[in-house]
Short mmCIF file of all heavy atoms in Angstrom, two decimals:
data_model
loop_
_atom_site.label_atom_id
_atom_site.label_comp_id
_atom_site.label_asym_id
_atom_site.label_seq_id
_atom_site.Cartn_x
_atom_site.Cartn_y
_atom_site.Cartn_z
N PRO A 777 -1.49 4.50 5.59
CA PRO A 777 -2.66 5.06 6.28
C PRO A 777 -3.17 4.19 7.43
O PRO A 777 -3.67 4.71 8.43
CB PRO A 777 -3.71 5.17 5.16
CG PRO A 777 -2.89 5.37 3.93
CD PRO A 777 -1.67 4.50 4.13
N ILE A 778 -3.01 2.88 7.33
CA ILE A 778 -3.45 1.98 8.41
C ILE A 778 -2.69 2.30 9.70
O ILE A 778 -3.25 2.31 10.78
CB ILE A 778 -3.22 0.50 8.01
CG1 ILE A 778 -4.10 0.12 6.83
CG2 ILE A 778 -3.43 -0.45 9.18
CD1 ILE A 778 -5.59 0.21 7.07
N LEU A 779 -1.41 2.59 9.58
CA LEU A 779 -0.59 2.90 10.75
C LEU A 779 -0.95 4.27 11.34
O LEU A 779 -0.66 4.53 12.50
CB LEU A 779 0.89 2.86 10.40
CG LEU A 779 1.39 1.54 9.80
CD1 LEU A 779 2.87 1.66 9.46
CD2 LEU A 779 1.14 0.39 10.75
N LEU A 780 -1.56 5.11 10.54
CA LEU A 780 -1.94 6.45 10.97
C LEU A 780 -3.41 6.53 11.35
O LEU A 780 -3.98 7.61 11.45
CB LEU A 780 -1.62 7.46 9.86
CG LEU A 780 -0.15 7.52 9.42
CD1 LEU A 780 0.01 8.44 8.22
CD2 LEU A 780 0.73 7.96 10.58
N ASP A 781 -4.02 5.36 11.56
CA ASP A 781 -5.43 5.23 11.93
C ASP A 781 -6.39 5.81 10.89
O ASP A 781 -7.45 6.32 11.21
CB ASP A 781 -5.71 5.86 13.31
CG ASP A 781 -5.07 5.05 14.43
OD1 ASP A 781 -5.02 3.81 14.31
OD2 ASP A 781 -4.61 5.65 15.42
N ALA A 782 -6.01 5.73 9.64
CA ALA A 782 -6.88 6.07 8.52
C ALA A 782 -7.07 4.77 7.73
O ALA A 782 -6.11 4.14 7.34
CB ALA A 782 -6.24 7.15 7.65
N ASN A 783 -8.29 4.38 7.52
CA ASN A 783 -8.53 3.08 6.89
C ASN A 783 -8.45 3.11 5.37
O ASN A 783 -8.32 2.06 4.75
CB ASN A 783 -9.89 2.54 7.32
CG ASN A 783 -9.91 2.18 8.79
OD1 ASN A 783 -8.89 1.77 9.33
ND2 ASN A 783 -11.03 2.35 9.44
N THR A 784 -8.53 4.28 4.78
CA THR A 784 -8.47 4.38 3.32
C THR A 784 -7.65 5.60 2.93
O THR A 784 -7.32 6.44 3.77
CB THR A 784 -9.88 4.54 2.70
OG1 THR A 784 -10.45 5.77 3.18
CG2 THR A 784 -10.79 3.38 3.05
N THR A 785 -7.32 5.67 1.66
CA THR A 785 -6.61 6.82 1.12
C THR A 785 -7.16 7.12 -0.26
O THR A 785 -7.55 6.19 -0.99
CB THR A 785 -5.09 6.57 1.06
OG1 THR A 785 -4.45 7.74 0.55
CG2 THR A 785 -4.74 5.39 0.19
N PRO A 786 -7.21 8.38 -0.64
CA PRO A 786 -7.68 8.70 -2.00
C PRO A 786 -6.61 8.49 -3.06
O PRO A 786 -6.87 8.64 -4.23
CB PRO A 786 -8.06 10.18 -1.89
CG PRO A 786 -7.16 10.72 -0.82
CD PRO A 786 -6.99 9.58 0.15
N MET A 787 -5.41 8.13 -2.64
CA MET A 787 -4.30 7.98 -3.57
C MET A 787 -4.17 6.55 -4.06
O MET A 787 -4.56 5.60 -3.38
CB MET A 787 -2.99 8.43 -2.91
CG MET A 787 -2.99 9.90 -2.54
SD MET A 787 -1.49 10.44 -1.76
CE MET A 787 -1.59 9.64 -0.18
N GLN A 788 -3.60 6.42 -5.25
CA GLN A 788 -3.35 5.12 -5.85
C GLN A 788 -1.93 4.69 -5.50
O GLN A 788 -1.02 5.50 -5.42
CB GLN A 788 -3.50 5.24 -7.36
CG GLN A 788 -3.25 3.98 -8.12
CD GLN A 788 -3.34 4.18 -9.62
OE1 GLN A 788 -3.16 5.29 -10.12
NE2 GLN A 788 -3.60 3.12 -10.35
N THR A 789 -1.73 3.41 -5.29
CA THR A 789 -0.40 2.85 -5.06
C THR A 789 -0.02 2.04 -6.28
O THR A 789 -0.82 1.28 -6.80
CB THR A 789 -0.40 1.95 -3.81
OG1 THR A 789 -0.80 2.72 -2.68
CG2 THR A 789 0.97 1.35 -3.57
N LEU A 790 1.20 2.23 -6.74
CA LEU A 790 1.67 1.46 -7.88
C LEU A 790 3.12 1.09 -7.69
O LEU A 790 3.86 1.74 -6.97
CB LEU A 790 1.48 2.22 -9.19
CG LEU A 790 2.15 3.58 -9.32
CD1 LEU A 790 3.46 3.44 -10.05
CD2 LEU A 790 1.23 4.52 -10.06
N ALA A 791 3.50 0.00 -8.33
CA ALA A 791 4.89 -0.45 -8.29
C ALA A 791 5.63 0.25 -9.41
O ALA A 791 5.21 0.23 -10.56
CB ALA A 791 4.96 -1.95 -8.46
N GLN A 792 6.73 0.88 -9.07
CA GLN A 792 7.52 1.62 -10.04
C GLN A 792 8.34 0.69 -10.92
O GLN A 792 8.49 0.91 -12.11
CB GLN A 792 8.44 2.57 -9.28
CG GLN A 792 9.42 3.31 -10.16
CD GLN A 792 10.28 4.25 -9.35
OE1 GLN A 792 9.81 4.96 -8.50
NE2 GLN A 792 11.57 4.25 -9.63
N ILE A 793 8.89 -0.34 -10.31
CA ILE A 793 9.79 -1.26 -11.01
C ILE A 793 9.32 -2.68 -10.75
O ILE A 793 9.01 -3.02 -9.60
CB ILE A 793 11.24 -1.05 -10.52
CG1 ILE A 793 11.72 0.36 -10.89
CG2 ILE A 793 12.18 -2.10 -11.10
CD1 ILE A 793 13.07 0.72 -10.38
N PRO A 794 9.27 -3.53 -11.77
CA PRO A 794 8.85 -4.92 -11.55
C PRO A 794 9.75 -5.62 -10.54
O PRO A 794 10.94 -5.34 -10.45
CB PRO A 794 9.02 -5.56 -12.94
CG PRO A 794 9.04 -4.43 -13.90
CD PRO A 794 9.61 -3.26 -13.16
N GLY A 795 9.16 -6.49 -9.77
CA GLY A 795 9.92 -7.24 -8.79
C GLY A 795 8.97 -8.07 -7.93
O GLY A 795 7.82 -8.27 -8.28
N GLN A 796 9.46 -8.50 -6.80
CA GLN A 796 8.67 -9.31 -5.89
C GLN A 796 8.19 -8.45 -4.73
O GLN A 796 8.85 -7.47 -4.35
CB GLN A 796 9.48 -10.47 -5.38
CG GLN A 796 9.86 -11.45 -6.47
CD GLN A 796 10.63 -12.64 -5.93
OE1 GLN A 796 11.11 -12.64 -4.80
NE2 GLN A 796 10.75 -13.67 -6.74
N ALA A 797 7.08 -8.85 -4.14
CA ALA A 797 6.53 -8.14 -2.99
C ALA A 797 5.88 -9.15 -2.07
O ALA A 797 5.57 -10.27 -2.47
CB ALA A 797 5.51 -7.10 -3.45
N VAL A 798 5.68 -8.73 -0.85
CA VAL A 798 4.99 -9.54 0.14
C VAL A 798 3.72 -8.79 0.52
O VAL A 798 3.77 -7.58 0.74
CB VAL A 798 5.87 -9.76 1.40
CG1 VAL A 798 5.11 -10.49 2.48
CG2 VAL A 798 7.15 -10.50 1.04
N ARG A 799 2.63 -9.51 0.58
CA ARG A 799 1.37 -8.89 0.97
C ARG A 799 0.96 -9.44 2.33
O ARG A 799 0.89 -10.67 2.51
CB ARG A 799 0.30 -9.18 -0.06
CG ARG A 799 -1.00 -8.48 0.24
CD ARG A 799 -1.98 -8.66 -0.89
NE ARG A 799 -3.18 -7.91 -0.58
CZ ARG A 799 -4.19 -7.80 -1.39
NH1 ARG A 799 -4.16 -8.37 -2.57
NH2 ARG A 799 -5.24 -7.11 -1.04
N ILE A 800 0.72 -8.54 3.26
CA ILE A 800 0.31 -8.92 4.61
C ILE A 800 -0.99 -8.18 4.92
O ILE A 800 -1.11 -6.98 4.62
CB ILE A 800 1.39 -8.54 5.65
CG1 ILE A 800 2.72 -9.22 5.30
CG2 ILE A 800 0.94 -8.92 7.06
CD1 ILE A 800 3.89 -8.75 6.16
N LYS A 801 -1.93 -8.86 5.50
CA LYS A 801 -3.20 -8.24 5.83
C LYS A 801 -2.98 -7.04 6.76
O LYS A 801 -2.15 -7.09 7.67
CB LYS A 801 -4.15 -9.24 6.49
CG LYS A 801 -4.64 -10.31 5.53
CD LYS A 801 -5.67 -11.19 6.20
CE LYS A 801 -6.12 -12.26 5.26
NZ LYS A 801 -7.22 -11.90 4.43
#
């Protein structure tokens, strides 16, 4: 949504499979 100029979303994000991720502001 940030890339689409929407600051929020009503949907939840979840990881399907355990693993590593990178978080960037």
Side-chain angles (χ1 to χ4, degrees):
I778 295 298
L779 303 178
L780 301 174
D781 291 325
N783 293 328
T784 63
T785 181
M787 297 179 290
Q788 179 183 24
T789 300
L790 58 97
Q792 174 179 316
I793 296 175
Q796 295 182 346
V798 175
R799 184 174 183 176
I800 302 172
K801 291 185 181 271

